[in-house]
Amino acid sequence: MNRVILDVKDILGEVGLEERYSFKQDFAPIKTETTKIEFVEPVTIDIKVENTGAGVRVKGHIKSALNLVCSRCLNEFSFSVDWEVDEVFSTERLPSEEVYAMENSVIDLGPPSEEAFVLAIPMKPLCKEACQGICPICGQPIDKKHRPHEEIKIDKRLEILKGLLKSEEENE
Ligand SMILES: [Zn+2]
Ligand SMILES: [Zn+2]
């Protein structure tokens, strides 16, 4: 589990005090039950932490890009995630689903960030909306390099035709 530890003691003196944090941090791959999700760039954390009295409220953006496999063409691609953070960390003992625990003056943005990144992954990731998948004839991805097979056949016929015309000319 990745940890993003912030000590917010500077704003705990008075309700309403706030502090901005802006930094980048490398994340280790997230292991889920079925797969391992790798990051292709460091995680950018750009947030504001506000003292709400019973804890702190964190708002801002936590961003990165994940290495996913396209469900159609099976190519790996970079998937950008921009999580709009709005989370409450509480000093109260029982953390519910919406509230994370704050230990003394320390909060850990790691677990909610990992959860947000995993939740952002589509059920069927696509390298691009128009991905054509894999060609059933040659088994290669249907991308810019791939030529439709019909066209190749037509070209061959044209070549044969050209050859025939040529030999006719020669015969005249
Ligand atoms: Zn694809
Ligand atoms: Zn093909």
Side-chain angles (χ1 to χ4, degrees), residues 11 21 28 34 40 44 47 49 53 93 104 137 142 152 168:
I11 60 162
Y21 296 85
T34 49
V40 292
T44 301
I47 50 159
V49 183
R93 279 277 156 177
N104 300 316
I137 297 166
I142 303 176
I152 293 166
E168 270 177 29

Side-chain angles (χ1 to χ4, degrees), residues 54 90-96 99-104:
S90 174
T91 46
E92 274 148 31
R93 279 277 156 177
L94 288 172
S96 72
V99 180
Y100 288 91
M102 181 162 101
E103 298 282 339
N104 300 316

Side-chain angles (χ1 to χ4, degrees), residues 137-155:
I137 297 166
C138 68
Q140 294 299 309
I142 303 176
D143 53 19
K144 277 181 203 150
K145 282 180 280 177
H146 184 265
R147 286 184 74 198
H149 298 284
E150 278 174 1
E151 215 173 87
I152 293 166
K153 273 185 222 152
I154 290 165
D155 283 357

Side-chain angles (χ1 to χ4, degrees), residues 69-75 77 125-128 130-133 141:
V69 174
C70 176
S71 60
R72 284 193 197 144
C73 69
L74 307 179
N75 278 331
F77 69 101
L126 292 178
C127 62
K128 53 181 181 289
C131 175
Q132 300 287 301

